[in-house]
Amino acid sequence: DAKTTQPTSMDCAEGRAANLPCNHSTISGNEYVYWYRQIHSQGPQYIIHGLKNNETNEMASLIITEDRKSSTLILPHATLRDTAVYYCIVRVATTGANNLFFGTGTRLTVIP
Amino acid sequence: GAGVSQTPSNKVTEKGKYVELRCDPISGHTALYWYRQSLGQGPEFLIYFQGTGAADDSGLPNDRFFAVRPEGSVSTLKIQRTERGDSAVYLCASSLTRDTEAFFGQGTRLTVV
């Protein structure tokens, strides 16, 4: 699976949109972009995933560039409960199992 | 319960002892995974079960680590001759199939003293 690069940490004001970037310049055509987050002392939680089209669910939006070399996770109205480490993961969904490579992620702090 | 359950939540053991960590996956989930997370790091994959069989154990660090899932549901991660470097949070996850969303438990914090 291709590796990803994320900023170590970010701050966001409560109520504002949080935009978390991820670079995956070596992504292959059959690799998906997954996002998980981990709130302190809890297990990781699935957020969203996509292949090439932008995706939106009740938690977040995922914007993938046309060349698929980078993506952005958007939390539209960040709350204090969104403070967590966010992991961007690239994997082949259809042939691989969920043996995910997490990396060190981005620590997002939502500020009151 | 509705989620993945791991017991115990905390375990302190002496160097050289044997420990077992238990994972109860979500009912009906065929795939089960074990991860290990050291302080300040992301989770690292250890082993993946599809049903009763270990489909991928490439993440197990050495032969002191072993995991079973005899009836395709509950899984036990076993660590022999524990070392201080084994101290970490051990996370279990399950998914309905191997390709669908994985749900994680709260983890077992293992401390080897």
Side-chain angles (χ1 to χ4, degrees), chain B:
Chain B
V4 177
S5 176
Q6 292 187 246
T7 54
S9 54
N10 282 283
K11 175 72 176 177
V12 180
T13 190
E14 293 181 345
K15 179 175 177 294
K17 298 288 189 182
Y18 167 83
V19 295
E20 289 189 353
L21 312 179
R22 177 186 168 108
C23 173
D24 284 80
I26 294 172
S27 178
H29 280 196
T30 64
L32 184 145
Y33 317 84
W34 284 98
Y35 284 77
R36 178 170 72 172
Q37 186 170 24
S38 301
L39 193 62
Q41 303 296 313
E44 295 178 305
F45 169 77
L46 295 177
I47 187 169
Y48 151 59
F49 286 89
Q50 184 61 47
T52 60
D56 182 353
D57 63 357
S58 61
L60 294 178
N62 52 60
D63 61 6
R64 294 187 298 105
F65 289 74
F66 189 71
V68 295
R69 195 186 185 201
E71 297 177 358
S73 179
V74 171
S75 177
T76 305
L77 178 66
K78 309 179 183 206
I79 311 174
Q80 299 177 320
R81 304 183 304 280
T82 52
E83 300 177 356
R84 292 197 178 88
D86 299 335
S87 296
V89 175
Y90 289 81
L91 294 160
C92 176
S94 70
S95 60
L96 188 61
T97 69
R98 69 175 190 174
D99 296 325
T100 54
E101 172 188 348
F103 294 86
F104 282 79
Q106 303 270 53
T108 293
R109 180 175 297 279
L110 175 67
T111 304
V112 182
V113 298

